């Protein structure tokens, strides 16, 4: 029995059947990965916008190994190695105030729900159609997709969904009952949907008028993915809370909430056993060090994708690329994989390309050629 068949049988027998998959990735370096049969791929998925520094970047590997030999865990009962320094870095790159570290994007959403509720004294939220903020019951309550949310209702907090990009609806929905508005600066799971210019500034105005907090979910679009540390920085808008995760630590599970100066939890209002541990913080600091160096190259690499895919009306902001294909999306994904390029179908028949930020120009050109072939 081949390695793949064995894997399939084991998974079918022992793992909850929530995922659809047919490839086993066993190794990665830079923007390339290899499967169990030894086939090589250019990775335009990057673990869904996670492996931004590329797979197994030496600086990240070294930081994790060095810290693992010193101390793997110590609890937030004590000062944790690298934690305060990472918080300082995240505060600097977001231009906001204090940080709370988490183990995932979902947990960052949860922290934001709690902080918004406890500091505003309000209970309700506003979020957007096709938006995604996580899978725990609180995060799911502000996540739109009915197919993943409705089976679990009733959920808290109460949330009103309005059309992404429609400021008139935002104005009506955000009231003196609204604790916060969850908004992605670019919708990732929806398939890389870029809002109209001025939309994020408009959301900011609605929040100010109603005394609600603007919560900017940068879990997918943040950490340099669009060529700036935060995607919202392209619009010059300052949110009250930013949530981060995916690309923040090259694959080590880390998330973060960063709130503006003065918007803080009080002692005991939040906590975590694992979050902000020594390994997580070492991995994230090393990741930020790498991204600092490559950030200026992200915009031009995105332009290279745009030029190469112009025939398909791509939506591009840095290395976040979306193309609407329709029903054929899964078939295109398969064809690309067979030709050595990993791409991913996001919602509604959209191809999403979120490769490592270190991807080379030759790799971009090769990926574009394969995508062309698959689409023609
Ligand atoms: C992936 C994602 C989340 C959830 O992050 P997890 O780490 O999977 O919990 C939240 N918001 C956005 C925008 C995401 O893309």
């Amino acid at each position: 029995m081949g390695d793949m068949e064995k894997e399939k049988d084991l998974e079918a027998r022992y793992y909850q059947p929530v995922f659809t998959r047919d490839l086993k990735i066993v190794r990665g370096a830079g923007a390339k990965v290899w499967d169990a049969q030894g086939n090589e791929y250019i990775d335009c998925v990057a673990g869904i916008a996670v492996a931004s520094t590329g797979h197994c970047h030496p600086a990240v590997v070294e930081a994790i190994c060095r810290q693992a030999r010193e101390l793997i865990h110590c609890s937030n009962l004590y000062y944790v190695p690298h934690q305060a320094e990472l918080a300082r870095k995240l505060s600097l790159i977001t231009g906001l105030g204090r940080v709370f570290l988490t183990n995932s994007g979902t947990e960052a959403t949860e922290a934001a729900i709690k902080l918004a509720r406890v500091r505003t004294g309000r209970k309700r939220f506003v979020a957007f159609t096709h938006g995604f903020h996580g899978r725990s019951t609180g995060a799911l309550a502000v996540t739109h997709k009915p197919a993943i949310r409705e089976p679990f209702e009733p959920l808290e907090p109460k949330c009103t969904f309005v059309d992404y990009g429609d400021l008139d609806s935002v104005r009506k929905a955000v009231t003196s009952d609204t604790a916060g508005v969850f908004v992605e600066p670019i919708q990732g799971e929806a398939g890389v949907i870029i809002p109209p210019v001025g939309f994020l500034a408009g959301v900011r105005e609605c929040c100010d008028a109603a005394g609600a907090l603007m919560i900017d979910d940068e879990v997918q679009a943040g950490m340099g993915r669009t060529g700036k540390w935060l995607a919202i920085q392209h619009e010059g808008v300052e949110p009250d809370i930013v949530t981060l995760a995916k690309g923040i630590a090259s694959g080590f599970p880390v998330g973060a909430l960063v709130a503006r100066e003065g918007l803080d939890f009080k002692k005991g209002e939040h906590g975590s056993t694992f979050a902000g541990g020594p390994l997580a913080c070492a991995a994230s600091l090393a990741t930020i060090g790498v991204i600092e160096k490559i950030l200026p190259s992200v915009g031009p690499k995105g332009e290279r994708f745009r030029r190469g895919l112009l025939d398909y009306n791509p939506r591009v902001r840095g290395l976040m690329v979306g193309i609407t294909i329709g029903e054929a999306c899964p078939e295109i994904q398969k064809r690309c994989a067979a030709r050595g390029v990993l791409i991913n179908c996001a919602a509604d028949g959209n191809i999403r390309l979120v490769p490592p930020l270190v991807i080379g120009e030759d790799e971009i050109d090769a990926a574009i050629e394969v995508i062309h072939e698959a689409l023609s």
Side-chain angles (χ1 to χ4, degrees), residues 105-161:
T106 298
E107 283 178 57
T109 300
E110 291 292 327
I113 290 170
K114 282 180 71 177
L115 184 58
R117 274 190 158 187
V118 76
R119 287 292 85 84
T120 65
R122 302 174 182 182
K123 297 202 172 356
R124 301 184 61 100
F125 287 83
V126 170
F128 293 95
T129 50
H130 307 290
F132 185 86
H133 304 288
R135 298 259 197 175
S136 61
T137 54
L140 200 53
V142 297
T143 288
H144 174 250
K145 196 176 183 181
I148 66 169
R149 175 174 40 83
E150 283 173 355
F152 302 99
E153 289 183 335
L155 294 167
E156 279 289 326
K158 294 281 173 291
C159 183
T160 305
F161 294 101

Side-chain angles (χ1 to χ4, degrees), residues 176-253:
S176 58
D177 286 337
T178 309
V181 177
F182 273 94
V183 62
E184 289 167 85
I186 297 170
Q187 289 189 323
E189 295 306 293
V192 187
I193 309 300
I194 303 172
V197 175
F199 172 67
L200 296 166
V203 171
R204 175 73 274 180
E205 278 167 26
C206 294
C207 288
D208 288 339
L213 300 180
M214 182 177 184
I215 303 159
D216 172 30
D217 183 338
E218 298 261 357
V219 167
Q220 190 159 155
M223 296 311 293
R225 167 79 24 210
T226 67
K228 290 187 186 283
W229 284 109
L230 302 181
I232 202 170
Q233 289 167 345
H234 290 281
E235 303 286 321
V237 176
E238 196 168 288
D240 297 293
I241 296 172
V242 163
T243 54
L244 296 164
K246 292 192 167 84
I248 198 173
S250 303
F252 205 94

Side-chain angles (χ1 to χ4, degrees), residues 59-60 62-74 76 78-90 99 101 254 275-286 288:
V60 178
E62 174 57 24
I64 292 172
C65 290
R66 199 186 318 128
Q67 185 55 46
R69 284 189 288 266
E70 297 271 330
L71 184 68
I72 291 177
H73 179 71
C74 71
N76 285 301
Y78 310 101
Y79 290 106
V80 178
H82 312 301
Q83 193 184 79
E85 176 58 14
L86 174 59
R88 187 183 76 86
K89 276 275 182 191
L90 292 174
V99 173
L101 294 168
V254 182
L279 287 179
C281 294
S284 185
L285 272 173
I288 291 170

